[in-house]
Amino acid sequence: MPIFATLSSYNSANGDCRRSHLTRLRGLLLRLGRPVVVALADSDHPVLYTTRQGRRVAVVVAEYGGDWWFLWDGGGYAPVDEPWRVTASLAPTARGETPAGIARAVRSRPRCLARAAA
């Protein structure tokens, strides 16, 4: 009896979409000097890890009701076309504001989001 199983995805396009959203969020968090690791990056279910107040936080991307969402530990969620909401929660400034320039840095939409809007 094998102890390892191979998991296959039913829709690799969803994996591509998740990766593109997490890659964009990763770039924003790195610009803020946050430690970021993307686990399972080559799978259809990648997970971004960063820290908040010294604790590890996982961020995933999920589709619900035809829309894509960032979901993170502690019940946080935000639409994927508003990643600055995630950065404001995970990397707030001293006054809890969205870090300057982050909202401006998010201009282009990932291909999967652009296709869904069309």
Side-chain angles (χ1 to χ4, degrees):
M1 177 181 227
I3 57 172
F4 296 104
T6 302
L7 299 175
S8 62
S9 174
Y10 66 94
N11 188 346
S12 64
N14 285 346
D16 292 341
C17 195
R18 287 182 181 103
R19 276 189 295 282
S20 70
H21 294 307
L22 288 177
T23 298
R24 188 168 63 152
L25 179 60
R26 177 185 175 271
L28 294 174
L29 290 167
L30 286 173
R31 285 181 62 185
L32 296 171
R34 305 301 298 202
V36 180
V37 172
V38 178
L40 306 171
D42 292 335
S43 77
D44 287 342
H45 302 283
V47 181
L48 181 146
Y49 290 99
T50 188
T51 58
R52 176 180 54 196
Q53 299 171 344
R55 298 184 76 156
R56 183 177 56 213
V57 177
V59 181
V60 297
V61 174
E63 185 178 19
Y64 179 75
D67 295 322
W68 288 93
W69 296 83
F70 289 114
L71 307 170
W72 63 94
D73 294 344
Y77 62 93
V80 293
D81 57 348
E82 299 177 8
W84 58 86
R85 286 190 186 188
V86 183
T87 61
S89 175
L90 300 180
T93 62
R95 293 185 295 182
E97 302 164 342
T98 301
I102 292 299
R104 290 189 307 272
V106 184
R107 292 194 180 131
S108 63
R109 301 173 90 178
R111 280 179 271 145
C112 58
L113 192 58
R115 270 186 299 213

